[in-house]
Amino acid sequence: MTATTVLTARALLLDMDGTLVDSHAVVERIWRRWSERHGLDADEVMKVVHGRQGYASMALLLPGRPMEQNHADNARMLAEETADVEGVVPILGAAEFLASLRGLPHALVTSADVALSTARMGAAGLELPEVRITAESVGASKPDPEGFLKGAAELGIAPADCIVFEDSGAGIAAGRAAGMRVVGVGPQAGFHQADVVVRDLREVRVEAAGGGEIRVCVG
């Protein structure tokens, strides 16, 4: 991208994994082990799991399995992921991006639970936003828009006045279903229907524009 795109909003809603935090290494380790235990092709599994809560991915991958088993398995997996932060690092530009949001309405909207989001943001050396929508906050996983709609409601901002930052197909679909514009982050985001895509957060600049508006310059 060579041209600069300028978007205006009143709040920003931020995914975590793949958007602020690079947790690819641990996600691969955990899910490949799970795939082996269930006799599934790990490469095919990895195409499904990004952006969703674990139980929702399991429901797609093992459609005949009772949902209570998926929830129990997901709880064990969350504990594994929380304990394993080896290789968890910030997405390039994430610290500076978050610093630029201080004093501006924004929220974390993640499929991780409180423990996992706290562990990963801490391992990456990133400040947790004050407003956080986590797995405990919602009844439906991305691509359902519930998380983003709750984030907007917590901030008291209309969905149409929010911009979502996401990397995964499920997350981008959730943002669009919520009636929000979406900035796709990372190479995989280009395969989905984000409004604009950046390689990483070094390509995003945020500033207060007056009148409660936020100016987001992308590119």
Side-chain angles (χ1 to χ4, degrees):
M1 179 184 302
T2 54
T4 298
T5 299
V6 179
L7 304 172
T8 57
R10 292 186 176 274
L12 306 183
L13 303 177
L14 318 173
D15 174 51
M16 182 182 72
D17 291 300
T19 302
L20 298 173
V21 171
D22 181 352
S23 56
H24 184 77
V26 62
V27 171
E28 285 269 342
R29 284 196 295 273
I30 299 289
W31 277 101
R32 285 184 180 277
R33 286 201 297 265
W34 183 89
S35 303
E36 187 176 345
R37 287 198 297 270
H38 293 280
L40 298 174
D41 182 325
D43 290 336
E44 293 303 312
V45 167
M46 296 312 301
K47 294 175 183 177
V48 171
V49 300
H50 293 291
R52 293 181 171 86
Q53 290 192 44
Y55 73 84
S57 296
M58 293 170 193
L60 291 173
L61 293 162
L62 298 172
R65 191 164 80 151
M67 189 56 79
E68 58 266 26
Q69 284 185 243
N70 294 334
H71 281 286
D73 216 359
N74 185 50
R76 289 189 292 271
M77 183 173 283
L78 282 170
E80 273 188 81
E81 291 184 285
T82 302
D84 183 357
V85 293
E86 183 180 350
V88 173
V89 296
I91 294 292
L92 292 173
E96 296 80 3
F97 173 68
L98 286 170
S100 74
L101 300 186
R102 290 184 189 133
L104 301 176
H106 67 286
L108 187 72
V109 181
T110 176
S111 295
D113 63 5
V114 169
L116 180 57
S117 58
T118 302
R120 284 195 177 155
M121 291 288 280
L126 297 176
E127 184 178 341
L128 274 165
E130 187 174 323
V131 178
R132 301 186 286 276
I133 305 298
T134 62
E136 295 94 338
S137 310
V138 298
S141 170
K142 299 171 185 176
D144 190 283
E146 182 185 1
F148 288 124
L149 292 172
K150 282 201 168 183
E154 282 282 321
L155 294 170
I157 304 294
D161 290 326
C162 296
I163 294 175
V164 166
F165 285 75
E166 262 285 2
D167 71 302
S168 71
I172 291 169
R176 290 179 65 84
M180 301 172 183
R181 288 154 295 156
V182 182
V183 175
V185 180
Q188 295 304 310
F191 296 107
H192 307 288
Q193 293 182 309
D195 292 277
V196 62
V197 177
V198 297
R199 287 172 296 180
D200 56 55
L201 293 170
R202 294 176 298 179
E203 295 184 352
V204 180
R205 296 173 306 287
V206 176
E207 57 188 27
E213 285 200 334
I214 302 168
R215 182 181 295 114
V216 180
C217 299
V218 179

